[in-house]
Amino acid sequence: MSTRREALTVEWVKLELLRTAYATRGGMLARRDPRFVIGWYLVFAVVPWLTHNITVLLGLFAVCAAAVVLSRVGPLVLGLFLLGFVLESLYVLFAAWFFDGDAATALALAELTLKLATVSLASMAAFVSLDPERLSDALLSLHAPAMLSFGVSYGFRMLPVLMEEFHTVVDGYRLRAAPPGPRGVLGWRVVVRTGTTVVNAFYPLILNTAKRTRTTVEALETKGFTYASEHPDGRRIRLAYLAADRWDVLLIAVTLALVAACFGLGHHWPLYGTAG
């Protein structure tokens, strides 16, 4: 979008959500084998919970933040994360002050915040870099159940259907409803009207989506989707394009080296958020 006013419209938010779910911006992880990307994510999803050393957590947070920059995460998702992280940090300081805590109390609360923030950054970097098909194929290649692989792919594909159906139902309610009256103090009537419309649109939205889902499933079964996903030959043909190279191995090796370096820094300059 060319201007800030255009960038803050509802339409931009909708398009940005679709870009996040379907398109990659050509970042570092987007060019890697999806199986190794999942492995990279699992490292940062598990390791932060194995330590109470805030120095280590700060190092892991910095590594994941760099990965987010290199993965070219979209401004909407990144902005929501930054907003949540800032609010959580303010909450930590307020909670420590309100309960008459000291620096140790603030460190203990900051520890959990850093762990959650690190896992969130890793999730953004990994899953924004994978389109639904590659993520689904990676899970299937790792011998995940075929229905799980299909559910992940289909869940992503249902996102635009849900958004389109929601707009259709809400527009239908607005066309059939009486013209809006006075806004009221601070526009409270507008808030009530909007909330009522959204609640009333829920059931038709789910019903119409369920009809589309049934049609899609019947079409897939007619084409032999389940058999092709479970049969060895079908899996081999579908996953033939997946191939790891030295850069994928280097990604995991560099990641483990950085994690080891974070623990090394934590050993020399320890800062613990909890006792032990």
Side-chain angles (χ1 to χ4, degrees), residues 175-194:
L175 288 172
R176 293 193 298 268
R183 296 173 58 88
V185 180
L186 299 178
W188 70 271
R189 288 191 176 91
V190 177
V191 176
V192 172
R193 179 187 175 90
T194 303

Side-chain angles (χ1 to χ4, degrees), residues 140-269:
L140 193 63
S141 177
L142 296 173
H143 300 285
M147 287 298 101
L148 174 62
S149 174
F150 168 72
V152 170
S153 176
Y154 190 67
F156 274 97
R157 294 187 182 282
M158 285 301 296
L159 179 62
V161 175
L162 285 171
M163 298 179 67
E164 178 186 353
E165 198 65 43
F166 177 77
H167 276 284
T168 302
V169 173
V170 170
D171 289 343
Y173 272 108
R174 294 175 61 186
L175 288 172
R176 293 193 298 268
R183 296 173 58 88
V185 180
L186 299 178
W188 70 271
R189 288 191 176 91
V190 177
V191 176
V192 172
R193 179 187 175 90
T194 303
T196 303
T197 302
V198 170
V199 172
N200 290 334
F202 177 77
Y203 181 76
L205 170 67
I206 298 302
L207 179 61
N208 294 343
T209 304
K211 290 180 180 179
R212 292 197 182 192
T213 301
R214 180 177 179 179
T215 302
T216 303
V217 170
E218 289 175 350
L220 289 172
E221 291 301 326
T222 302
K223 297 179 180 179
F225 174 82
T226 302
Y227 178 79
S229 299
E230 297 178 352
H231 195 276
D233 290 337
R235 293 166 62 101
R236 177 178 53 81
I237 294 173
R238 178 178 175 180
L239 305 176
Y241 76 95
L242 293 177
D245 55 22
R246 65 180 184 275
W247 298 108
D248 297 311
V249 178
L250 182 63
L251 171 67
I252 300 300
V254 171
T255 298
L256 295 178
L258 291 174
V259 171
C262 292
F263 275 90
L265 291 174
H267 177 73
H268 289 288
W269 294 285

Side-chain angles (χ1 to χ4, degrees), residues 6-256:
E6 293 175 344
L8 296 178
T9 60
V10 175
E11 187 67 21
W12 176 84
V13 172
K14 183 176 72 172
L15 292 176
E16 188 63 27
L17 285 174
L18 293 178
R19 292 191 195 103
T20 301
Y22 289 96
T24 63
R25 291 175 165 84
M28 174 188 68
L29 297 178
R31 298 188 292 269
R32 303 278 63 83
D33 188 291
R35 297 167 295 183
F36 283 79
V37 175
I38 292 176
W40 178 89
Y41 163 72
L42 290 176
V43 171
F44 291 103
V46 174
V47 170
W49 305 102
L50 303 180
T51 180
H52 296 294
N53 194 324
I54 292 184
T55 304
V56 177
L57 294 175
L58 286 172
L60 296 175
F61 179 86
V63 173
C64 289
V68 166
V69 174
L70 294 175
S71 298
R72 301 178 184 176
V73 175
L76 177 63
V77 176
L78 189 58
L80 291 175
F81 167 79
L82 291 176
L83 177 63
F85 183 70
V86 170
L87 292 178
E88 183 69 18
S89 301
L90 293 176
Y91 159 75
V92 167
L93 296 176
F94 173 78
W97 169 80
F98 184 79
F99 292 103
D100 295 328
D102 52 10
T105 305
L107 288 176
L109 295 173
E111 176 192 329
L112 179 60
T113 302
L114 278 174
K115 289 180 179 181
L116 294 175
T118 301
V119 176
S120 299
L121 286 174
S123 301
M124 285 191 294
F127 295 109
V128 168
S129 300
L130 296 176
D131 61 68
E133 279 302 319
R134 297 184 70 216
L135 178 58
S136 174
D137 292 344
L139 292 174
L140 193 63
S141 177
L142 296 173
H143 300 285
M147 287 298 101
L148 174 62
S149 174
F150 168 72
V152 170
S153 176
Y154 190 67
F156 274 97
R157 294 187 182 282
M158 285 301 296
L159 179 62
V161 175
L162 285 171
M163 298 179 67
E164 178 186 353
E165 198 65 43
F166 177 77
H167 276 284
T168 302
V169 173
V170 170
D171 289 343
Y173 272 108
R174 294 175 61 186
L175 288 172
R176 293 193 298 268
R183 296 173 58 88
V185 180
L186 299 178
W188 70 271
R189 288 191 176 91
V190 177
V191 176
V192 172
R193 179 187 175 90
T194 303
T196 303
T197 302
V198 170
V199 172
N200 290 334
F202 177 77
Y203 181 76
L205 170 67
I206 298 302
L207 179 61
N208 294 343
T209 304
K211 290 180 180 179
R212 292 197 182 192
T213 301
R214 180 177 179 179
T215 302
T216 303
V217 170
E218 289 175 350
L220 289 172
E221 291 301 326
T222 302
K223 297 179 180 179
F225 174 82
T226 302
Y227 178 79
S229 299
E230 297 178 352
H231 195 276
D233 290 337
R235 293 166 62 101
R236 177 178 53 81
I237 294 173
R238 178 178 175 180
L239 305 176
Y241 76 95
L242 293 177
D245 55 22
R246 65 180 184 275
W247 298 108
D248 297 311
V249 178
L250 182 63
L251 171 67
I252 300 300
V254 171
T255 298
L256 295 178

